[in-house]
Amino acid sequence: MTRLQEAIAHLDAGIARASETVPGLPVREVVLLRLLLMTGSSVLEEIERNLKPYGMSDSDFRTLMMIYSAPNGRASPGELCNAAQQGATNMTRIANVLVKLGFVTRAASVEDRRRVELSITPAGKRFARKLLPSLFPRVHGAFASLSAAEKKTLDHLLRRVATNIDHLTATDSRP
């Protein structure tokens, strides 16, 4: 049994025990949420391991790819914060990393001098085109046992869960 499979077995046993003493525990939903977190965390660890030799984190690389795929290869830090699910302070750190690596430049917008824009450099484009294909086998491998129909269903279901989470967080009145 692999490390992730062992963790899932431990999770199942723990939730089963907890359900015996916690009335109304939504067992199926708790298991699903924990599975999402565990698999996501495992994938993130793998991505981070592959990016570490380049001095990058997942959030750095995701941001680079958002700039790479943005119209004209440019985006403002504010736009990137929302898309990358990062706060302004962390986006500043990410921009600093990408500028230091020579993958993006930071400059005032031509249209609005008050707005800062990050633009991908030729080196950033080359890096993205070089690194991405090396990640493809891992991406394919993660979903290897799923049929095309199952992948489509998983995509649909995860988007529905994301919509539910958006509704919950939009109406959450907790401090």
Side-chain angles (χ1 to χ4, degrees):
M1 193 179 294
T2 66
R3 181 178 63 91
L4 192 54
Q5 290 171 333
E6 287 175 10
I8 291 169
H10 183 71
L11 165 78
D12 289 336
I15 291 174
R17 283 189 302 275
S19 71
E20 294 171 4
T21 58
V22 180
L25 182 72
V27 172
R28 179 55 42 210
E29 290 81 359
V30 170
V31 168
L32 289 171
L33 284 174
R34 295 309 306 167
L35 286 171
L36 280 171
L37 291 170
M38 292 169 77
T39 55
S41 177
S42 185
V43 169
L44 181 58
E45 285 175 22
E46 179 67 14
I47 291 168
E48 296 274 354
R49 189 181 67 71
N50 283 286
L51 293 172
K52 189 174 184 173
Y54 303 102
M56 297 179 78
S57 68
D58 174 63
S59 55
D60 301 336
F61 186 66
R62 277 187 295 129
T63 301
L64 177 66
M65 292 311 302
M66 283 184 258
I67 299 168
Y68 178 89
S69 62
N72 302 317
R74 293 189 315 238
S76 74
E79 294 165 339
L80 294 167
C81 281
N82 290 334
Q85 297 180 310
Q86 299 292 321
T89 302
N90 201 41
M91 187 52 65
T92 299
R93 183 205 60 78
I94 292 167
N96 289 342
V97 167
L98 296 176
V99 168
K100 183 178 178 184
L101 290 170
F103 295 160
V104 301
T105 58
R106 182 190 287 127
S109 167
V110 174
E111 295 86 24
D112 182 351
R113 305 294 284 167
R114 298 168 296 177
R115 178 182 155 159
V116 172
E117 283 187 336
L118 300 173
S119 299
I120 192 153
T121 64
K125 289 179 185 178
R126 281 191 305 275
F127 176 77
R129 286 192 294 255
K130 175 186 164 206
L131 184 63
L132 281 173
S134 71
L135 301 176
F136 295 167
R138 300 254 186 225
V139 172
H140 287 299
F143 297 96
S145 65
L146 300 182
S147 69
E150 289 170 326
K151 291 174 193 174
K152 185 176 179 179
T153 298
L154 180 59
D155 178 275
H156 175 73
L157 294 173
L158 289 173
R159 288 172 191 270
R160 284 178 51 193
V161 170
T163 298
N164 293 343
I165 292 169
D166 277 346
H167 290 311
L168 285 171
T169 57
T171 59
D172 192 351
S173 61
R174 290 179 294 176

